[in-house]
Amino acid sequence: MFYADYMVVQKVYHCNNEILEWKWSSDSELMPQPFWTSVFLIDGLLVDAGAPGGVGDLRDFIKALDSNNAVEKCVITHNHEDHCGGGRMLQEEFNIPVFASKQAIPLLKKEKIYPDYRQMVWGINYQPFQAEPLEDIINTKSGKYCFDVIATPGHAPEQISLIERKHQWAFIADAVMPKYQMIFGKDTDIPENISLIYRSIKKLHDFTEGMDKLLLFTSGNGVFKGRSFLKDRIDEIKSMHIKIHKLRVEAEERRLSNTQLLRYILKKMFKRESFIGTLTRGGLSHKNLIISLLEWPIDCDSS
Ligand SMILES: [Zn+2]
């Protein structure tokens, strides 16, 4: 088991200081690059609660906020350890109510067992807690902002996104990735499903129709401008889906076994498995993305 001793913290302001992003990464020398997780603060509403390894840093951040920025409540977007690590600390030490979707609540109450590479990146000793159920709409402290809560499963079954229609902000956490090259497979506790991800991105695209100044805030992967970000991901997944199923037909014509078929498609699509695929022993890999695309029938909802 690895554990990082040194942590890195950054604070970033967006939209005329109305949104404060707190980014956290371990700076363990064992990691090939920093992996960031983000907590956003908008008018007293905290979106997510960081990783178990960052609880001490999150505590310092909350303590240092002035009265204008004091946290009134927290919403957890999903159950992964890099989003809910500080939930119990917020409740117990600051008396901050923490909300989550009905699907996430029982998961947040459980101990978490996750592979050593994720312990290295996000730290250990997750503290389970009892979250409160989230309504369909959530208002911020002053009433200035009002968020629609949208179910966006795929990355995680309980994943939600928060959309502020008037200001055209979408907090999408991990619901959409900047590029689809890898996926967590079914042999881990993160069974990402590409067909559900695709449907959720389409749902976000439909929901944000007419928002020509849309800003999309991801967790640690940056801020993206415009609905074209969503449309590009829709096109990207659709094209990969079609390509993979064409390669399957080719492989079947060559009478390849299942193992050979996967290797054939992997080579044609990505040349070889990625470094991260090897590092995570296939947990987060090109291969799992290919399997999820193959399990999604071509004639079903890819238009
Ligand atoms: Zn996640």
Side-chain angles (χ1 to χ4, degrees):
M1 183 184 66
F2 305 106
Y3 184 61
D5 293 321
Y6 305 100
M7 309 300 174
V8 180
V9 181
Q10 270 192 10
K11 291 177 205 172
V12 187
Y13 292 89
H14 300 281
C15 305
N16 302 321
N17 295 351
E18 289 178 279
I19 300 169
L20 174 55
E21 180 179 8
W22 181 84
K23 286 175 77 177
W24 184 92
S25 166
S26 157
D27 67 353
S28 165
E29 288 174 3
L30 295 167
M31 295 201 301
Q33 62 185 75
F35 292 94
W36 296 100
T37 185
S38 298
V39 167
F40 292 95
L41 178 59
I42 316 105
D43 188 27
L45 172 68
L46 202 63
V47 179
D48 280 330
V55 170
D57 292 320
L58 183 65
R59 178 188 294 117
D60 293 345
F61 167 69
I62 302 287
K63 270 189 191 164
L65 291 168
D66 60 30
S67 56
N68 287 339
N69 278 315
V71 177
E72 185 202 40
K73 59 193 157 205
C74 173
V75 171
I76 302 291
T77 58
H78 63 299
N79 169 54
H80 296 163
E81 68 276 5
D82 49 325
H83 294 262
C84 56
R88 177 135 138 215
M89 180 274 290
L90 293 172
Q91 285 180 333
E92 287 187 350
E93 297 182 29
F94 296 94
N95 216 12
I96 293 168
V98 181
F99 295 89
S101 69
K102 288 186 181 72
Q103 279 171 288
I105 289 171
L107 304 171
L108 294 166
K109 279 199 292 197
K110 286 190 204 159
E111 300 286 335
K112 291 193 189 301
I113 299 163
Y114 46 95
D116 52 9
Y117 66 88
R118 277 169 41 209
Q119 295 179 20
M120 177 180 77
V121 174
W122 305 125
I124 55 172
N125 293 331
Y126 168 72
Q127 301 287 306
F129 64 98
Q130 174 72 53
E132 299 177 39
L134 197 53
E135 303 288 332
D136 293 341
I137 284 178
I138 191 150
N139 289 297
T140 61
K141 196 164 53 179
S142 71
K144 191 173 174 189
Y145 309 105
C146 173
F147 289 90
D148 283 283
V149 178
I150 312 285
T152 45
H155 169 69
E158 75 285 1
Q159 167 92 55
I160 53 140
S161 297
L162 301 174
I163 298 180
E164 217 289 341
R165 287 173 191 260
K166 196 170 148 206
H167 292 79
Q168 304 191 17
W169 298 333
F171 291 87
I172 56 175
D174 296 341
V176 189
M177 292 290 151
K179 191 159 178 60
Y180 280 92
Q181 292 205 319
M182 280 180 274
I183 221 158
F184 281 89
K186 287 184 173 155
D187 52 344
T188 75
D189 62 326
I190 306 186
E192 283 191 303
N193 179 319
I194 194 70
S195 67
L196 290 181
I197 289 172
Y198 177 83
R199 269 177 239 153
S200 289
I201 300 174
K202 280 190 90 173
K203 188 175 177 182
L204 285 170
H205 189 255
D206 291 346
F207 193 88
T208 54
E209 192 170 359
M211 297 188 192
D212 52 0
K213 292 183 182 134
L214 182 68
L215 284 178
L216 300 116
F217 297 84
T218 69
S219 181
N221 286 315
V223 182
F224 296 90
K225 276 187 189 167
R227 291 171 74 235
S228 59
F229 171 70
L230 298 171
K231 181 68 170 62
D232 289 348
R233 300 290 76 70
I234 291 168
D235 293 344
E236 180 189 5
I237 295 172
K238 196 191 292 182
S239 131
M240 272 198 306
H241 189 215
I242 291 167
K243 198 168 167 187
I244 291 255
H245 279 267
K246 275 187 186 157
L247 289 170
R248 187 222 290 260
V249 172
E250 279 178 32
E252 283 169 353
E253 282 167 3
R254 291 166 179 237
R255 298 179 187 279
L256 300 183
S257 67
N258 278 347
T259 315
Q260 289 170 324
L261 178 141
L262 280 177
R263 231 181 278 144
Y264 177 78
I265 297 176
L266 182 68
K267 197 170 173 207
K268 293 271 181 185
M269 293 291 292
F270 301 105
K271 293 204 171 83
R272 66 181 72 85
E273 188 51 81
S274 65
F275 171 67
I276 289 179
T278 311
L279 190 76
T280 61
R281 291 176 215 105
L284 177 63
S285 60
H286 292 325
K287 186 180 161 192
N288 289 338
L289 175 59
I290 293 170
I291 292 171
S292 192
L293 284 160
L294 286 171
E295 286 174 350
W296 176 19
I298 194 73
D299 53 351
C300 171
D301 194 29
S302 62
S303 56

